[in-house]
């Protein structure tokens, strides 16, 4: 009997497949359908730090600027923090799988206290989506990394539920960064977030953007780093993210050492039924390979379990493919 259960951030999951933070997890109806299809957990659409700060500011202005208050309440109607808390509560009532809240944040300021409300609403964990596009020439990388750590530590002080940090791969030494996140209280890390990327329209002569949704080829950065970090920062739970579109990709990420995988683009492209398709593929592979549980093969091909671990660190094409025609 195949057992797909696993554990991520200390939470028991019925399967390793998590629906990642996006518009699809903003409604209880959809969340219920993901749970029925076999998802192990859902990460709710992100709240933005700016949204929290804005609404906190509104309370200060309420008595002083009644006109401004009208305008602000209009804005807040469609961006309400209260709505987010209700979403957590109703999702928790509707499904048995863990509901992970998500905050998109950039500063360790007073907004952090709002994390307490998220915990009180019943979220099983919080995923912090942190990203700074550092483009100032006079700010060191070290200073920017410190912002991640401060933010995490301050949130760690106000809530007791597990925290995961969702990051990009552009760090000078990712192993050190992820280890620093672990020692400062992150139970998990999501590798990696996918960002809005610019493109140029050469006919209209303007800046535009590249594809919003990922493709299966986008798995590679994540696969490399899951393979390396599941060995080097063994104690942190890794959720692989980006470019996971089929059962094979799920298997690869677990073999590389992921505790769970997050999917988004494939659900936009093919709908929630893809969850079952991916899990069925995972099960038939496990049957073929005679594995009964996820733990039986997790990390079997990570950095410390392959004959030549340096293969995960290869980066220069020219050195290895000089004869490539
Ligand atoms: C339409 C859309 C909305 C998204 N919204 C969020 C969000 O609110 N918060 C977040 O952390 N990530 C967000 N993401 C990123 C996804 O959670 C995910 O990390 C990324 O798309 C890579 O996974 P994929 O290759 O399976 O799509 C969004 C992605 C898409 C396509």
């Amino acid at each position: 009997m195949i057992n797909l259960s696993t554990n991520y951030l200390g939470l028991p999951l019925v399967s390793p497949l998590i629906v990642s933070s996006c518009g699809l997890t903003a409604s209880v109806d959809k969340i219920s359908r993901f749970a029925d299809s076999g998802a192990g957990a859902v990460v709710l659409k992100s709240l933005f730090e700016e949204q929290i700060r804005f609404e906190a500011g509104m309370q200060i202005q309420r008595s002083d600027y009644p006109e401004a208050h009208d305008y602000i309440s209009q804005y807040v109607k469609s961006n309400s923090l209260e709505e987010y808390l209700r979403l957590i509560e109703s999702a928790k009532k509707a499904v048995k799988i863990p509901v992970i809240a998500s905050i998109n944040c950039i500063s360790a300021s007073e907004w952090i206290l709002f994390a307490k409300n998220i915990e009180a609403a019943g979220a099983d964990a919080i995923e912090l989506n942190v990203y700074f596009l550092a483009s100032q020439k006079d700010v060191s990388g070290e200073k920017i990394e410190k912002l991640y750590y401060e933010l995490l530590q301050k949130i760690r002080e106000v809530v007791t539920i597990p925290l995961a940090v969702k990051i990009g791969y552009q760090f000078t030494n990712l192993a050190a960064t992820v280890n620093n996140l672990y020692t400062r209280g992150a139970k998990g890390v999501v590798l990696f977030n996918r960002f809005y990327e610019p493109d140029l329209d050469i006919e209209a002569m303007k800046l535009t953007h590249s594809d919003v949704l990922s493709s299966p080829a986008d798995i590679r950065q994540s696969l490399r780093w899951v393979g390396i970090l599941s060995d080097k920062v063994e104690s942190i739970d890794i959720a692989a993210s980006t470019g996971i579109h089929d059962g094979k990709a799920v298997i690869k990420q677990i073999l590389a050492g992921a505790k769970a995988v997050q999917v988004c683009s494939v659900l936009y492209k093919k709908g929630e039924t893809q969850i079952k398709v991916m899990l069925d593929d995972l099960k038939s592979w496990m049957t073929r390979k005679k594995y009964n549980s996820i733990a039986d093969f997790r990390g079997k091909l990570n950095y410390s379990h392959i004959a030549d671990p340096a293969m995960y660190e290869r980066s220069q094409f020219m050195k290895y493919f000089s004869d490539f025609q």
Side-chain angles (χ1 to χ4, degrees), residues 2 16 21 26 32 53 61 101 129 159 161 175 180 187 191 194 200 210 230 236-237 243 245 247 260 275 300:
I2 300 281
S21 177
S32 300
R53 283 168 37 185
Q61 289 171 22
N129 172 348
V159 295
I161 50 177
N180 284 331
K187 202 153 174 58
L191 307 176
R194 176 177 166 82
L200 293 180
S210 57
S230 64
I236 203 162
D237 284 0
H245 285 235
I275 293 178
K300 266 212 178 285

Side-chain angles (χ1 to χ4, degrees), residues 316-325:
Q316 302 291 359
F317 264 122
M318 296 314 290
K319 221 159 136 190
Y320 305 100
F321 297 101
S322 47
D323 297 335
F324 190 79
Q325 299 288 324

